[in-house]
Amino acid sequence: MFYKNREEDVELQHRDKDGKDTEPLLSSYESFDYLLMSDAKDGAQKRKAFIQQLKRKNIFVTEVQHPHYKDSEKEFFGLRVSSQALEDYHYLLKVSDSCNACRDESEADKQTTRIRIINFIIYNTFLDTGEKLDDLLTNNVFKSVFCLHERKQQKQLTKKWASWSRLIAPQPFNDIKQYFGEKVTLYYLWLDWYTKLLVPAALLGVIVFLYGLAFFNTSPLIKEVCNSSIIMCPRCDQEKCKVWKLSETCAYAKVSHLFDNEGTVAFAVFMALWATVFLELWKRHRAIYVSRWKVYDWSELEEELIMGIVNNPNCKAKEYKHTYLQSTLVLVLVTLMLMLIIGLAQALVVFRVVAAPLLSVVQWEFIKDNASTVAVLLGAVLHYFTIQIMTRINRWVSIKLCNIEKKNTFASTERSFTIKMFTFQFFTLFSSLFYVAFFLGRINGHPGNYVRIAEWRLEECHPSGCLTDLFIQMAVIMVLKQTLNNIVEFSQPWLKSFFGKKEALKLESSCEHCNSKACCDEDGFVEPCDTCQRRDWLRNYYLASTDSFSLFNEYLEMVIQFSFTTIFVAAFPLAPLLALINNIFEIRLDAIKMVRLERRLVPRKTNDIGVWTKILEAVGVLAVIANGLVIGITSDFIPRMVYRYRYGPCANGITDTHCMEGYINDTLSTAFMGDPEVQKDFKASQLILNSGVNVTHCSYRDYRNHEDYSLTSQFWLVLAVRFAFVILFEHVLVVCKFIVAWFVPDTPTQVKNHSLRDKMERLKKEFQEMKLNRSTDV
């Protein structure tokens, strides 16, 4: 046998502080819960000192080595908490204010508790030099630390949940809770609920898309563009960027109509209310499960205090601290970071401005004819790669800011990190989209007075509207982000696990009992030999590493997707459908990754998804504002309504034609080449059509007088109606959101009654025990 210090460990931990015998800590068939690993010969003295500190805290430690294996420098330290520490923990739960309702009943629940206790103790154990585990990991005293998968439960979860054959099967939430704890389970519970609620949103989005498709060939607006003889002004200042016919963009006009029609408005209203209904129903759904799991009133702060006492009975609470200097420093740094992110968004704008004219003079006819659209596509792809780079920078900055704040608990640090990271990611993802939605084509000026960046003219919207640019930007980012992220997210742990298994299997040749059922019994009634033990530990070691923020990455990905699905859904009604399809696979992908490809996450208790609820509520409010602005300002819904009821044929009493006849021409203004100011913007070679005709005037999208280029009365009327619509839209929907939130209680009545009865029973039990003790004393 190559177990080191087995007799020393048992002797040390079979006696209490007074030297009296206590019950054995670890029977021969019980497994370990946590692992420390080292592969360096240096730092042996510090390793030994740290292990001795753990033993003094009632942690059973066993070292396993295999000198015949080529990796003989590897040392594994198996850890398991003592029964005394468990008793202390449960007693403190009983007397706590918020955690006393939680009762661990199954062996699986007790195992997750042991892992949480060990995790807290090893990260809060200090050497005499003041070093703790983080420092020892940094200095290579220890190579790695992680909790171990339990083989039997791991196989059960794989069969019932973490396999592609269970793609559309219900999730076994109770089994997940027993293995990964409530925190991970609530993530899957939330993701499952979100996916189910996406079904009606996706169906309605498809209906809106099909509505636009149904009138694809009959829309008078499309016909007007396709049959138009209007000559448009050059899109850029390059010599090969000439005047062009509006009819050349017939295909673009058809695509615009698919995503900019009357159905879009109704869908945006629905999605704004959907976000509120989803959150309110989620709160009720969560309450049912956390009540069933006995963590309805659970407090992560109190559990940290309890863990602190179990680790060190003489510990002191880390008090809250706040200084205005510290807060000011964090605020300034956050502001600078946001300015950097917005600056990158402006750089993307410059890229689009420069790319469009350059693409218009290339040799390929397709790219030259669709230079603006190709520039939008390239800008979206570049935006995606910018997101990938900035994600890593945002994470590093968020961690550093949390270190400056020095929060008193892990839970508060996690909340602070979540808020900062989400804020940075939100601006990284949406700054460019906000520009496309609300500024593109509105600050570019007009012939004779174009707005330029250096010598480059700002880009314009297509005469059919600006919404298609926003749709292209969103579609590219959503498809790339979801597809490529999932591929990378799954392939990295799979590759590490694949090569790790090959390393672990090499040990089979070292032991003649490796394939013996008696040796490696999953129930653990016969203790595995050293080789089998180390092989199992190596399998865990070669899995992809996890940390405290691993679950955060999953939440961030889904909440960003939720933001895409709700905030600009008026421009992309198919977003809920893409999200639904992605999430069906995302649930199983995450399950397979957590169960089979990654080291086991530390099981943690909680009763909510934390600050993510507040973030989702904020996104819901922002969705109302953004969709109101998209419909009122970005889309052509308001100009069309004004034209139909104020300037169109029907408004003037003409009934023998469609009410929208002449709309496109009405939205265009004319620039005459005889104007000296206009001549400065266009070269003579740009004013010749491909047919060789020299034009004397051209049109551009705006409401301006052709004599002095002043804004017309129609512009001011449209602008007034736009703002009136936005204010009305947002106020009505905000009121509706409040009504829905009031109408749907956060907690079901049966959950409240169950909690009430449970508290009454516990009080009665405590009262009866008190009376029994009193009578015994007498």
Side-chain angles (χ1 to χ4, degrees), residues 84-100:
Q84 183 60 52
L86 276 173
E87 290 176 6
D88 294 343
Y89 173 81
H90 285 108
Y91 173 78
L92 291 171
L93 281 185
K94 184 178 178 181
V95 300
S96 71
D97 294 328
S98 300
C99 300
N100 52 17

Side-chain angles (χ1 to χ4, degrees), residues 152-202:
K152 185 176 181 180
Q153 293 183 53
Q154 189 182 26
K155 287 186 176 181
Q156 289 175 346
L157 277 177
T158 299
K159 183 179 179 180
K160 297 170 64 175
W161 179 50
S163 64
W164 292 114
S165 62
R166 309 291 294 173
L167 184 64
I168 57 175
Q171 298 189 76
F173 294 115
N174 288 330
D175 293 334
I176 301 170
K177 189 267 293 185
Q178 288 184 343
Y179 192 70
F180 285 111
E182 286 80 357
K183 194 161 192 172
V184 170
T185 311
L186 280 171
Y187 163 72
Y188 285 103
L189 187 69
W190 175 81
L191 182 54
D192 181 80
W193 187 251
Y194 170 44
T195 304
K196 288 177 180 177
L197 267 290
L198 276 173
V199 173

Side-chain angles (χ1 to χ4, degrees), residues 211 219 221-222 225 253-265 463-468 631 634-649 659-661 663-664 666-667 701 703 714 718 721-722:
Y211 170 81
S219 171
L221 304 182
I222 295 177
V225 172
K254 292 179 178 179
V255 174
S256 297
H257 184 70
L258 288 178
F259 303 99
D260 191 0
N261 53 65
E262 293 79 4
T264 303
V265 180
S464 299
C466 301
L467 207 61
T468 304
I631 296 169
T634 310
S635 78
D636 272 10
F637 174 74
I638 298 301
R640 289 172 186 169
M641 292 299 101
V642 171
Y643 180 80
R644 176 188 289 269
Y645 297 109
R646 180 69 177 83
Y647 298 101
C659 292
M660 296 302 296
E661 192 75 34
Y663 168 75
I664 296 295
D666 183 70
T667 61
R701 180 183 169 89
Y703 294 102
Q714 187 174 353
V718 170
V721 176
R722 284 185 190 273

